[in-house]
Amino acid sequence: VFFFAADIISTVEFNHTGELLATGDKGGRVVIFQREQESKNQPHRRGEYNVYSTFQSHEPEFDYLKSLEIEEKINKIRWLPQQNAAYFLLSTNDKTVKLWKVSERDKRPEGYNLKDEDGRLRDPSMITTLRVPVLRPMDLMVEATPRRVFANAHTYHINSISVNSDYETYMSADDLRINLWNFEITNQSFNIVDIKPANMEELTEVITAAEFHPHHCNTFVYSSSKGTIRLCDMRTSALCDRHAKFFEEPEDPSNRSFFSEIISSISDVKFSHSGRYIMTRDYLTVKVWDLNMENRPIETYQVHDYLRSKLCSLYENDCIFDKFECVWNGSDSVIMTGSYNNFFRMFDRNTKRDVTLEASRENSKPRAILKPRKVCVGGKRRKDEISVDSLDFSKKILHTAWHPSENIIAVAATNNLYIFQDKVN
């Protein structure tokens, strides 16, 4: 299948009600999907998402001082809670965060005095009467306008943005620093974490992801390439270089290998909706941590343990550096994360059951039911199993999202977006 690299989806995010779903891609575009309203004659149509608005968020740039190209690829999108009829979202590439306003227009003013309907200025000597302009209905137009541009604050690539629960501030994190911004102030930010060593040769770890607590505006976490998570409290000091809590699981010496450090790097960290837990994703596992217990996670889920024997070839083809994300469902009872071969995994925290599902064109006919997939390692392969040697590592699900209150999930598989819904009887 041929597709353009610019079409590869790089982030997926539901808004706070789940009515809208935004995706960002490598070409700097943001596509927003809107959920169909339920109609009396077609009740089953509810839940279908259709394109609502598409706009170019970022353009490729060139940093002349450093002779560096800055990609237009959208790294993250975060919605703000809706305050009025318009929607607001933050989108970021490697260097610049933008605040977009998405609004609807279905009326236009007509009957200007100084201009005709085409917008041309009229000859003042021909104007003999004064008219009152009126609003006339027109076809619905969805407009996206950039309201703020937050630039020039990051030396390294931005990997995370997170909106604070006070809705006045947000943070942006790169490899070595985390900055706090006020939504109203674009020309300065406040540096709250700086792990850059005086001598860059002494650099041992980088920041991989960061997120604010869902309810406490003073608390945030960030994860590192060393597999550690730091919880920081902005009330203790202006620069949060001293963490309040430090979460780390001691490594099992029997599992130590050349790849241990690479696969222990955390690619995503997410607070549960309740704020009691944090979930982290590393290369092979998803872990759930209780905020009150720092020495080890309370739950560990193996995402694709059968790849342990394949780490050598995954290192050679650079897949071992893939950054998988993880998400909670609305009630924090199920977690989801991606894998290879367009597989994604779900773990039920209560029943401890897990399932592997596949996002592909073949099984994505409307109303089709997804069949669980199984991977077999060595030995005899059953009819419905797929061998670990025939997995396609170019097909990977890095980005997923879960509707905030319903069992609707969005899964990005390269340049395709799949939306699956729990079957309602």
Side-chain angles (χ1 to χ4, degrees):
V1 180
F2 178 75
F3 59 86
F4 293 103
D7 296 332
I8 295 174
I9 298 171
S10 51
T11 183
V12 190
E13 190 79 8
F14 279 102
N15 75 338
H16 290 254
T17 60
E19 290 301 301
L20 298 181
L21 172 68
T23 65
D25 66 22
K26 272 197 156 176
R29 288 182 301 266
V30 171
V31 181
I32 301 175
F33 298 87
Q34 184 182 43
R35 194 174 184 189
E36 283 286 316
Q37 293 306 309
E38 194 163 4
S39 61
K40 292 238 171 17
N41 49 358
Q42 287 181 306
H44 69 272
R45 283 287 299 248
R46 172 100 176 118
E48 285 190 18
Y49 283 80
N50 295 317
V51 174
Y52 176 65
S53 173
T54 302
F55 58 92
Q56 188 72 29
S57 173
H58 288 69
E59 302 280 356
E61 293 172 56
F62 191 78
D63 184 335
Y64 293 98
L65 292 174
K66 297 201 182 96
S67 292
L68 271 182
E69 279 188 61
I70 301 167
E71 274 191 302
E72 64 271 39
K73 172 185 165 224
I74 309 291
N75 291 346
K76 285 282 185 291
I77 289 172
R78 289 289 178 262
W79 291 91
L80 275 70
Q82 197 176 355
Q83 308 285 344
N84 51 28
Y87 301 100
F88 287 87
L89 63 85
L90 285 173
S91 66
T92 185
N93 68 348
D94 284 341
K95 298 287 179 189
T96 305
V97 184
K98 293 185 182 181
L99 175 68
W100 288 90
K101 177 185 181 183
V102 182
S103 52
E104 296 182 355
R105 264 211 350 229
D106 59 357
K107 292 185 176 64
R108 72 160 174 261
E110 279 182 12
Y112 287 112
N113 289 293
L114 301 177
K115 293 178 182 171
D116 60 23
E117 299 314 329
D118 298 330
R120 287 191 296 267
L121 282 171
R122 293 164 64 185
D123 180 0
S125 62
M126 302 295 289
I127 300 171
T128 54
T129 58
L130 281 178
R131 297 190 292 177
V132 177
V134 291
L135 288 172
R136 295 247 185 270
M138 59 176 255
D139 288 343
L140 178 69
M141 240 174 74
V142 181
E143 292 180 314
T145 46
R147 296 305 300 272
R148 305 264 191 285
V149 177
F150 305 89
N152 306 323
H154 285 277
T155 312
Y156 307 97
H157 292 347
I158 298 172
N159 55 46
S160 305
I161 46 175
S162 179
V163 178
N164 200 345
S165 58
D166 62 11
Y167 305 135
E168 289 178 16
T169 56
Y170 77 90
M171 69 176 168
S172 55
D174 68 24
D175 293 345
L176 297 177
R177 295 193 182 102
I178 300 176
N179 292 330
L180 182 70
W181 300 83
N182 186 300
F183 277 110
E184 301 302 320
I185 303 167
T186 58
N187 59 353
Q188 63 181 44
S189 62
F190 191 75
N191 180 228
I192 51 175
V193 171
D194 186 349
I195 64 165
K196 186 181 178 187
N199 177 4
M200 279 296 271
E201 286 176 9
E202 292 166 11
L203 181 70
T204 58
E205 64 180 328
V206 294
I207 298 166
T208 54
E211 191 178 55
F212 269 119
H213 190 285
H215 316 303
H216 304 314
C217 61
N218 53 284
T219 309
F220 66 93
V221 291
Y222 69 91
S223 58
S224 89
S225 56
K226 275 193 160 174
T228 61
I229 309 109
R230 290 171 176 84
L231 179 90
C232 300
D233 187 337
M234 292 193 287
R235 295 171 302 186
T236 52
S237 69
L239 193 62
C240 299
D241 283 358
R242 307 256 314 266
H243 45 265
K245 292 192 173 183
F246 182 78
F247 301 86
E248 182 177 29
E249 185 172 30
E251 194 194 7
D252 178 0
S254 63
N255 273 343
R256 180 113 190 108
S257 75
F258 170 74
F259 304 107
S260 293
E261 273 181 33
I262 303 173
I263 63 172
S264 66
S265 175
I266 292 172
S267 54
D268 197 14
V269 61
K270 291 267 170 58
F271 271 104
S272 62
H273 295 84
S274 67
R276 167 82 191 265
Y277 305 102
I278 42 180
M279 164 169 57
T280 59
R281 170 74 210 257
D282 57 41
Y283 192 66
L284 294 176
T285 65
V286 173
K287 293 172 182 170
V288 175
W289 304 75
D290 188 314
L291 283 193
N292 301 321
M293 192 165 96
E294 298 168 60
N295 59 344
R296 61 190 167 86
I298 54 166
E299 296 157 29
T300 300
Y301 300 99
Q302 300 296 336
V303 178
H304 37 217
D305 204 43
Y306 45 80
L307 294 184
R308 234 174 243 286
S309 59
K310 293 259 173 288
L311 292 177
C312 229
S313 53
L314 290 162
Y315 179 76
E316 283 164 11
N317 64 14
D318 277 354
C319 284
I320 202 165
F321 301 107
D322 285 334
K323 293 176 171 56
F324 291 96
E325 294 169 10
C326 52
V327 286
W328 302 86
N329 72 341
S331 61
D332 298 333
S333 59
V334 184
I335 54 188
M336 170 172 66
T337 191
S339 179
Y340 293 104
N341 209 66
N342 280 0
F343 288 170
F344 58 98
R345 304 271 283 134
M346 285 184 175
F347 303 96
D348 188 313
R349 298 180 57 213
N350 300 326
T351 64
K352 298 295 181 235
R353 284 213 297 260
D354 65 280
V355 65
T356 303
L357 300 168
E358 182 183 7
S360 70
R361 286 265 172 92
E362 294 75 59
N363 61 16
S364 62
K365 308 267 186 303
R367 327 219 83 68
I369 293 174
L370 290 181
K371 292 190 185 70
R373 303 298 307 257
K374 282 205 169 52
V375 177
C376 84
V377 186
K380 287 175 68 176
R381 185 167 67 88
R382 293 213 188 99
K383 183 166 63 76
D384 57 344
E385 290 182 337
I386 179 165
S387 157
V388 70
D389 295 318
S390 54
L391 294 174
D392 187 341
F393 293 112
S394 66
K395 293 179 175 173
K396 52 192 92 165
I397 289 178
L398 304 175
H399 315 288
T400 56
W402 203 308
H403 188 289
S405 55
E406 296 179 42
N407 276 340
I408 298 174
I409 57 169
V411 173
T414 322
N415 60 328
N416 293 311
L417 178 72
Y418 296 92
I419 296 172
F420 300 112
Q421 186 171 9
D422 203 5
K423 191 167 137 288
V424 181
N425 295 333

